[in-house]
Amino acid sequence: MSGTISLKIEFGGGLELLFSNQRSHRVTIPALVPAASSSSTSSSSTAQTAQDEAGAEKKKPADLAYLIFWLRDNLLKEREELFIENGTVRPGILVLVNDADWELEGEGEYQLKDGDEIVFISTLHGG
Amino acid sequence: MPPRTCALCNDARAILKRPKTGQTICKDCFFYVFETEVHNTITEAQLFKRGDRVAIGASGGKDSTVLAHVMKTLNERYDYGLELFLLSIDEGITGYRDDSLETVKRNQEQYDMPLKILSYDELYGWTMDAIVSQVGKKNNCTFCGVFRRQALDRGAAILNVDHIVTGHNADDIAETVLMNIMRGDIARLGRCTSICTQGEDTIKRSKPFKYAYEKEIVMYAYFKKLDYFSTECIYSPDAYRGHARAFLKDLEAARPSAIIDIIHSGEAFEIKEDVKATQKLQQTCIRCGYMSSNELCKACTLLEGLERGMAQAAVTDRARKKLDAVGPTPDNLRQIPMFKPPSSVQSSTHTTAAVGT
């Protein structure tokens, strides 16, 4: 099993404007990530290893919650408050995992698999 | 988590959890349930009659695009016998409206409906860009909303339609209820949950998506791959509605049925008799003939304020008195042309049965 996961990310409903005005992205993230969920800005796992707390560093499979922070740190170009709020996506942004509502997959706790397609659609605009 | 099966057909993979009911359903069941609920809203409220000419207020955004699609689908599926039109208003907001109008033109081809575009510039002589440069970024939504309302009626009169439908969804109506409570606007609070509004001299206006959640509209558009324009109006970030919307979104996250429940509360409001007595009666504007609570309708008042270089003065009643104190209205100001309702509004009441009965 390789140490990374390849994902296809799509942004819609105007969100693409925050991500270099690009709707489709292909990203690669580590398969195992630090278990302590943090709201600090550390992005790569090597930086986290250097700062880890006393005792063994716990790892968990990468999940959607981690991906959201990863996107903020690596792809988001501006106005992070329009994407992330209180450790998750801002209310009003829909998340689809392989064409299914993320609420069916456990939201942030869904464990990512290689080749997954994640779609973020904003509903926060005029109709 | 194991893949779930649709709660309705027990066959296909579930792709959505409905906020309204908590059901997990598949794509095809979702389409059917969504469309059927709108159909039920239409028939229960007896909105249309066979042969009605209906203008769909189309902005190119998600709600109006889905509305055009669903109206066309239901009209064919249940044989409503309606003639459908697209009506679009160009407020003159560079970078926002001009792009979304391109989407409406594409919608016209995709849904094969006649399209009419009416602009603030041709009707009032002022684009929103010009208005904002005079008024600033606060209260500019007041101008836009008031002008748009009249513009839709005038466009509908030109098309000679019986009915206007707009894409207002459940979230919008819940936000409006909250806003009216927060601002103490009793008159509006009593009216804002009506699915169909009509004055004596104005065209019927309905909201078939009154009970449709914004989330479901977006999901519908996504799965049906409908073409829509999705950017926030550049002037909206300072709008008061933003507060109500943020609050509502947080409420929805905690308890998804909150949206429908707020609408239900709004529908149940009844205004006390002694408060009702203080509400103004409806009359017609002495300048342009449109419906009004005062001698001059809001649009004429706002336009006069703009023309005389005192735009802020026209927004509230108190400020209006200040405007009058400055002096009488000069004779040579630009005015809105006289409003003539379409023949359907002037004729006597219809007796044919409503669609769906």
Side-chain angles (χ1 to χ4, degrees):
Chain A
M1 183 178 148
S2 80
T4 59
I5 295 179
S6 249
L7 301 167
K8 187 163 171 248
I9 314 286
E10 288 261 335
F11 294 107
L15 269 185
E16 63 272 20
L17 294 172
L18 306 177
F19 292 90
S20 319
N21 211 354
Q22 201 183 318
R23 289 187 157 225
S24 283
H25 299 254
R26 284 207 165 275
V27 305
T28 310
I29 63 168
L32 289 175
V33 302
S37 69
S38 67
S39 53
S40 64
T41 54
S42 176
S43 57
S44 67
S45 51
T46 47
Q48 195 68 18
T49 322
Q51 304 169 12
D52 78 325
E53 295 144 1
E57 184 199 315
K58 287 216 186 127
K59 291 256 191 184
K60 60 169 186 177
D63 56 17
L64 267 176
Y66 174 80
L67 176 66
I68 291 167
F69 284 112
W70 190 95
L71 288 171
R72 179 199 66 185
D73 295 333
N74 293 283
L75 272 186
L76 186 65
K77 292 299 165 205
E78 55 183 300
R79 317 246 2 232
E80 76 167 61
E81 73 278 9
L82 292 183
F83 178 61
I84 233 180
E85 195 180 289
N86 287 332
T88 183
V89 285
R90 187 179 171 212
I93 296 183
L94 306 181
V95 187
L96 295 172
V97 177
N98 299 325
D99 256 17
D101 189 348
W102 76 330
E103 284 185 44
L104 297 180
E105 306 286 359
E107 295 194 17
E109 287 169 9
Y110 168 76
Q111 285 176 15
L112 297 162
K113 299 185 310 295
D114 197 50
D116 273 350
E117 184 176 326
I118 319 289
V119 182
F120 295 89
I121 312 176
S122 171
T123 64
L124 303 163
H125 51 80
Chain B
M1 272 196 179
R4 299 204 200 171
T5 334
C6 173
L8 291 176
C9 69
N10 280 316
D11 188 22
R13 178 182 165 236
I15 50 99
L16 165 73
K17 188 171 171 196
R18 295 196 76 196
K20 222 188 264 187
T21 58
Q23 280 175 322
T24 48
I25 55 178
C26 70
K27 199 188 290 191
D28 288 323
C29 285
F30 169 55
F31 292 154
Y32 182 70
V33 165
F34 182 81
E35 290 158 4
T36 308
E37 279 183 4
V38 177
H39 170 67
N40 291 341
T41 304
I42 290 173
T43 49
E44 274 158 38
Q46 298 188 334
L47 291 182
F48 307 119
K49 285 170 299 298
R50 207 170 180 78
D52 267 357
R53 292 162 63 89
V54 177
I56 300 171
S59 62
K62 60 186 178 359
D63 302 312
S64 48
T65 303
V66 175
L67 180 63
H69 180 89
V70 171
M71 287 297 293
K72 184 178 160 81
T73 304
L74 295 180
N75 194 28
E76 285 162 15
R77 183 180 298 166
Y78 295 100
D79 191 30
Y80 290 164
L82 305 174
E83 253 187 276
L84 299 174
F85 300 84
L86 289 172
L87 175 57
S88 205
I89 308 298
D90 179 7
E91 304 97 340
I93 302 176
T94 327
Y96 174 66
R97 189 51 80 211
D98 38 4
D99 287 343
S100 72
L101 283 178
E102 290 307 308
T103 311
V104 182
K105 289 177 193 159
R106 283 201 299 278
N107 289 157
Q108 173 194 17
E109 280 160 46
Q110 288 154 357
Y111 304 133
D112 193 27
M113 292 176 194
L115 165 67
K116 167 85 191 146
I117 302 179
L118 204 57
S119 75
Y120 280 9
D121 204 16
E122 70 187 274
L123 197 48
Y124 308 112
W126 287 77
T127 60
M128 270 316 290
D129 287 343
I131 292 173
V132 174
S133 61
Q134 228 215 61
V135 170
K137 296 214 181 151
K138 222 174 161 196
N139 291 328
N140 46 334
C141 293
T142 301
F143 285 82
C144 198
V146 170
F147 284 169
R148 184 182 309 108
R149 195 186 208 293
Q150 259 217 39
L152 272 177
D153 273 346
R154 286 169 183 273
I158 294 169
L159 285 172
N160 200 17
V161 298
D162 305 290
H163 211 124
I164 301 172
V165 291
T166 53
H168 292 93
N169 57 47
D171 297 53
D172 293 328
I173 297 182
E175 282 164 22
T176 304
V177 172
L178 291 175
M179 274 172 76
N180 288 332
I181 292 176
M182 292 196 281
R183 303 208 281 206
D185 194 332
I186 306 302
R188 287 204 173 88
L189 192 57
R191 294 193 300 257
C192 67
T193 47
S194 307
I195 192 173
C196 185
T197 49
Q198 175 171 26
E200 256 179 41
D201 300 317
T202 58
I203 305 167
K204 267 198 287 195
R205 186 185 283 239
S206 311
K207 306 176 170 93
F209 280 171
K210 180 182 174 193
Y211 300 111
Y213 272 56
E214 189 169 56
K215 170 180 171 178
E216 297 198 353
I217 292 175
V218 174
M219 296 289 252
Y220 186 90
Y222 175 76
F223 286 119
K224 285 263 184 189
K225 304 207 180 326
L226 299 181
D227 179 16
Y228 67 87
F229 180 74
S230 55
T231 307
E232 265 195 277
C233 173
I234 52 180
Y235 299 126
S236 73
D238 304 309
Y240 191 74
R241 183 173 283 265
H243 298 298
R245 176 173 294 163
F247 182 47
L248 190 72
K249 282 293 154 199
D250 286 337
L251 291 175
E252 188 193 1
R255 194 166 150 273
S257 64
I259 296 177
I260 284 284
D261 294 335
I262 290 175
I263 298 177
H264 181 64
S265 301
E267 284 167 341
F269 287 151
E270 208 181 283
I271 305 184
K272 284 200 228 182
E273 280 307 320
D274 46 356
V275 174
K276 240 196 244 181
T278 63
Q279 302 299 301
K280 297 178 191 156
L281 286 171
Q282 201 177 286
Q283 37 183 311
T284 18
C285 176
I286 56 174
R287 203 174 283 172
C288 78
Y290 193 64
M291 71 170 174
S292 174
S293 309
N294 301 302
E295 260 195 2
L296 272 192
C297 74
K298 194 74 177 182
C300 283
T301 312
L302 292 177
L303 187 60
E304 185 183 325
L306 284 170
E307 292 284 324
R308 290 171 73 177
M310 298 175 63
Q312 283 292 3
V315 175
T316 58
D317 285 339
R318 187 173 61 217
R320 169 79 215 188
K321 295 199 173 74
K322 276 198 214 151
L323 180 66
D324 289 336
V326 168
T329 314
D331 283 331
N332 56 347
L333 285 187
R334 180 175 9 224
Q335 289 193 19
I336 306 174
M338 207 63 184
F339 176 65
K340 188 172 172 299
S343 49
S344 61
V345 175
Q346 294 162 5
S347 65
S348 54
T349 50
H350 297 279
T351 50
T352 46
V355 157
T357 52

